[in-house]
Amino acid sequence: DLIAQRFDRRDIVRGGLAIAAIAAAAPITALSSMDAKSKEAAASVFGFKELPIGSDDTHHVADGYDADILIRWGDPVVTGAPQFNANAQTAEAQKKQLGYNNDFLGYFPMPGAAKPGEHGLLVVNQEYTNEELMFPGIGAPQRKKDFSKITKELAAIEMAAHGGSVIEIKKTTGKWQVVADSQYGRRLTADTPIDISGPAAGHARMKTRTDSAGTKVKGMVNNCAGGVTPWGTWLTCEENFNNYFTGTAQGHPEAEKLKRYGAPASQYNWGQYDERFDVSKDQNEINRFGWVVEIDPFDPASTPKKRTAMGRFKHEGAAGIINTDGRYVVYQGDDQRFDYVYKFVTGAKVDTANPGANKDILDTGTLYVARYNADGSGEWMPLVHGKGPLTTANGFASQADVLIDTRLAADKLGATKMDRPEDVEANPKTGKVYVMLTNNTRRKPGQEDKANPRANNEFGHIIEMTPNGGDHAATAFKWEVLVTCGDHKLASTGASFNKATSKDGWFGMPDNVAFDPDGRMWVATDGNKKSRTGRNDGIWAMETEGPARGTSRHFFRVPNGAEMCGPCFTPDGETLFVAVQHPGEGKGSSFAAPATRWPDFKPGMPPRPAILAITKKGGGKVG
Ligand code: FEO
Ligand code: CA
Ligand code: CA
């Protein structure tokens, strides 16, 4: 039975399995010598001195690096934007200023730039808002949301602070700056006109009272992570869209479908001022949220598109790679406990010579959901109407139904229920795909499987997937756990970092991931804090190859209350942009008495989510 089950080196060494029983079949000699090697000081692909962990009210980077503030919430983005005034905010001003809670960052070199790594467009997701820190007089967060102070104007500011931003940035005399009054400066909000495209566009379930064609929607919300395509567009992902809808599922014709997405979650009171956010008044509007949105950052007048072929769920990110056969493959996670890992494969090949020819390539293709088998093999199962159980008899009358109800379709296929899939991204150098699984404390003993091996998974883990034959379009893959997170010196955590990892080097809750131009992996975390892991969130550099595999090293950390988002490298590897989200968030923290006033530290100024540029003192590649 043991042999029939998949075993890996860590299982054997750690678990104390009956080695003798499997000696006949397993390459034990090789395994043991590899473990011995990992105990040696394995050569590292990283050359920086590790940052000590900590928890305080500001950010820190490893010795020898600068981490400079590039732009903060409220700073001008669009020409004519007023300067930020925390005490006199308006929706009109916010529509032209950087939005709140910067998450994903994408960098596009300026075409024709002498140095592509020193001049480009930076795109920014603005995920959500913290009213208690943004607005005077709201007070500290309450257990139950109190909307009595959220006036129509404050709700309008919230809507304007969501969505995304495009800024032009340039490095002059060694320092990055936002180009003022750039022709590219753009804000996208919860009101921006967006086209709906792909198989669900125009379907009856996408039609509303104000859009009888079912092809145009206003706005995008909860834009978490995303991707940058080789044809120069930005993919930005709607995650917890259920939070923005109010009303009741009771009596709603699609009550069961709403339930599968946790809607309406009523975390905002926009529905009080704009009926489309009230499911009791506008039954279909919610079907128009929860998608991947594609935007051309170089054309501020362009209309973004919600690409329905890529599925509807709580999208974390959408990181793609050009496959060996030329098609584009986008990996996606659905960030919820017990939800799934997806990929989308385009029908057409990417035209690398003519970027404009790929304009609507994401409208046609196949969406797949992952099953992780116990033997280390895996299968991508197509979400195609008429295939397997995805039939009219089972409630899927068309491909539009399959896509609008992606989660329900994936349930039917028996996909593997994961521990909150966040970023899923291929290392462009090796082609191996990494899945960040942030945590899942609701997984009970007995609910473990090989891909989600810990009950009460407090600290998350990272899975490595290898497409069969290096073909990202293949339906078969192999996988193994790269690392289970947490303090690996404590046996009780079941954490499996390489023994070479220091007390500062381990982390919990992997969330976003980035690969630098040399194919080295950098992980951003969400949920570390002093009381939980003895450290704030930040960036950790992670070894993936050779004896050092599974060793991580601390590089950057955020101020108290913040989450680390958006790691993004310039193509020369000399700048790492990071997004510090919700600094000062937490119990008892408010506009009047915030946990930190980062990054301005001025009396009366609330904390402000901000983007930083990290560079090496004296120049050179980061890390
Ligand atoms: Fe917006 Fe899954 O974090
Ligand atoms: Ca995330
Ligand atoms: Ca996050």
Side-chain angles (χ1 to χ4, degrees):
D1 286 344
L2 278 171
I3 293 163
Q5 286 277 322
R6 169 173 169 278
F7 55 86
D8 62 27
R9 176 169 58 92
R10 286 177 204 287
D11 287 341
I12 295 166
V13 172
R14 253 203 358 248
L17 300 180
I19 301 289
I22 53 176
I28 286 296
T29 316
L31 295 172
S32 311
S33 69
M34 272 187 71
D35 189 58
K37 264 193 220 158
S38 77
K39 283 177 189 157
E40 294 162 13
S44 175
V45 295
F46 298 103
F48 65 90
K49 184 166 170 271
E50 181 159 50
L51 173 73
I53 54 161
S55 299
D56 58 33
D57 65 357
T58 194
H59 66 277
H60 298 267
V61 67
D63 268 357
Y65 290 83
D66 289 318
D68 302 314
I69 306 291
L70 178 69
I71 189 168
R72 304 154 295 183
W73 164 51
D75 283 342
V77 167
V78 177
T79 303
Q83 291 299 317
F84 181 62
N85 183 342
N87 288 296
Q89 299 175 52
T90 65
E92 276 317 296
Q94 179 63 86
K95 281 176 192 167
K96 297 176 178 166
Q97 300 165 332
L98 193 79
Y100 207 76
N101 276 343
N102 28 229
D103 200 304
F104 174 80
L105 303 175
Y107 179 83
F108 298 82
M110 189 59 68
K115 291 181 178 171
E118 300 195 356
H119 184 198
L121 299 184
L122 193 69
V123 299
V124 183
N125 285 6
Q126 320 275 189
E127 190 184 27
Y128 73 104
T129 48
N130 289 78
E131 294 66 36
E132 77 281 8
L133 296 172
M134 291 172 74
F135 306 133
I138 301 294
Q142 303 298 314
R143 192 140 194 211
K144 190 170 172 4
K145 280 246 169 181
D146 172 13
F147 296 118
S148 62
K149 292 174 184 158
I150 306 296
T151 60
K152 189 171 182 183
E153 178 65 9
L154 290 190
I157 296 171
E158 290 173 0
M159 290 176 76
H162 276 73
S165 304
V166 181
I167 55 175
E168 182 181 352
I169 56 171
K170 208 169 180 181
K171 198 178 180 189
T172 38
T173 59
K175 291 289 176 190
W176 283 95
Q177 275 177 336
V178 176
V179 175
D181 298 326
S182 164
Q183 59 175 308
Y184 299 106
R186 184 177 190 185
R187 278 301 325 283
L188 301 114
T189 72
D191 270 323
T192 301
I194 297 179
D195 286 344
I196 299 168
S197 71
H203 187 272
R205 295 175 62 198
M206 300 293 272
K207 294 176 181 171
T208 65
R209 284 182 300 179
T210 54
D211 174 27
S212 58
T215 55
K216 289 188 188 305
V217 61
K218 280 205 306 179
M220 53 184 195
V221 294
N222 212 255
N223 295 72
C224 193
V228 161
T229 69
W231 54 94
T233 62
W234 164 27
L235 301 180
T236 175
C237 298
E238 294 183 307
E239 194 188 23
N240 298 299
F241 62 94
N242 57 321
N243 286 350
Y244 299 85
F245 289 83
T246 50
T248 174
Q250 229 169 21
H252 191 284
E254 300 195 343
E256 279 308 302
K257 290 171 177 167
L258 290 178
K259 201 172 152 196
R260 183 64 180 84
Y261 287 93
S266 304
Q267 293 298 299
Y268 290 83
N269 68 335
W270 299 357
Q272 199 178 320
Y273 308 115
D274 188 345
E275 286 189 354
R276 67 198 180 99
F277 291 107
D278 184 335
V279 298
S280 310
K281 294 183 175 144
D282 198 330
Q283 88 179 45
N284 283 346
E285 182 71 357
I286 194 166
N287 289 340
R288 295 133 64 87
F289 288 83
W291 303 100
V292 175
V293 187
E294 185 174 19
I295 300 169
D296 177 357
F298 288 98
D299 180 3
S302 61
T303 304
K305 289 187 177 174
K306 294 200 179 184
R307 301 293 185 187
T308 63
M310 299 172 77
R312 176 170 171 265
F313 44 90
K314 294 182 182 176
H315 291 270
E316 175 70 23
I321 188 164
I322 298 181
N323 193 32
T324 42
D325 64 6
R327 288 183 290 170
Y328 199 56
V329 179
V330 187
Y331 290 97
Q332 316 184 81
D334 182 355
D335 180 8
Q336 188 102 52
R337 298 172 188 92
F338 303 109
D339 260 289
Y340 308 127
V341 173
Y342 296 87
K343 75 171 177 184
F344 176 75
V345 183
T346 59
K349 293 176 182 184
V350 178
D351 186 339
T352 49
N354 180 14
N358 308 301
K359 196 163 59 79
D360 291 315
I361 196 173
L362 296 176
D363 280 343
T364 312
T366 307
L367 182 67
Y368 298 85
V369 65
R371 180 154 63 202
Y372 297 83
N373 300 321
D375 66 357
S377 68
E379 189 190 343
W380 287 109
M381 302 178 289
L383 290 146
V384 174
H385 171 65
K387 267 205 169 174
L390 306 181
T391 59
T392 306
N394 281 330
F396 304 96
S398 66
Q399 184 62 15
D401 278 342
V402 170
L403 294 168
I404 295 168
D405 304 323
T406 299
R407 280 184 168 185
L408 291 161
D411 290 344
K412 282 263 182 275
L413 293 176
T416 303
K417 297 179 187 305
M418 310 298 287
D419 288 346
R420 289 189 58 195
E422 302 262 18
D423 273 3
V424 185
E425 193 157 336
N427 181 335
K429 290 281 180 199
T430 65
K432 290 179 188 169
V433 179
Y434 295 87
V435 188
M436 305 298 118
L437 295 147
T438 216
N439 61 17
N440 181 1
T441 48
R442 291 192 197 159
R443 188 176 291 276
K444 296 196 175 70
Q447 282 186 309
E448 308 94 332
D449 55 43
K450 285 289 253 180
N452 300 278
R454 291 186 291 186
N456 187 32
N457 183 5
E458 271 189 85
F459 305 115
H461 56 291
I462 299 174
I463 285 178
E464 179 185 78
M465 301 165 65
T466 306
N468 273 20
D471 176 7
H472 289 274
T475 54
F477 61 90
K478 300 222 166 18
W479 66 271
E480 63 180 280
V481 174
L482 171 67
V483 65
T484 45
C485 302
D487 184 352
H488 56 300
K489 299 269 165 39
L490 294 176
S492 58
T493 63
S496 69
F497 284 101
N498 189 303
K499 290 183 183 68
T501 305
S502 80
K503 66 175 180 28
D504 301 311
W506 65 266
F507 56 82
M509 291 72 79
D511 186 338
N512 300 124
V513 66
F515 295 92
D516 67 23
D518 294 316
R520 297 177 305 174
M521 184 168 153
W522 301 75
V523 177
T525 64
D526 170 17
N528 292 269
K529 56 181 175 182
K530 193 171 185 184
S531 60
R532 199 169 179 191
T533 53
R535 62 205 61 210
N536 280 6
D537 278 328
I539 300 277
W540 276 264
M542 173 67 92
E543 307 269 359
T544 56
E545 305 297 326
R549 178 176 161 89
T551 309
S552 77
R553 196 191 282 212
H554 193 24
F555 182 68
F556 176 85
R557 74 173 196 254
V558 298
N560 288 338
E563 164 185 353
M564 183 85 276
C565 300
C568 164
F569 286 88
T570 49
D572 57 11
E574 295 198 10
T575 302
L576 168 59
F577 295 107
V578 294
V580 174
Q581 202 190 64
H582 58 75
E585 184 184 83
K587 209 173 156 190
S589 184
S590 66
F591 183 98
T596 174
R597 293 191 186 277
W598 186 89
D600 298 323
F601 295 107
K602 282 189 189 143
M605 183 66 96
R608 298 166 76 184
I611 296 161
L612 292 86
I614 300 176
T615 51
K616 193 173 180 178
K617 289 183 195 294
K621 284 185 182 178
V622 172

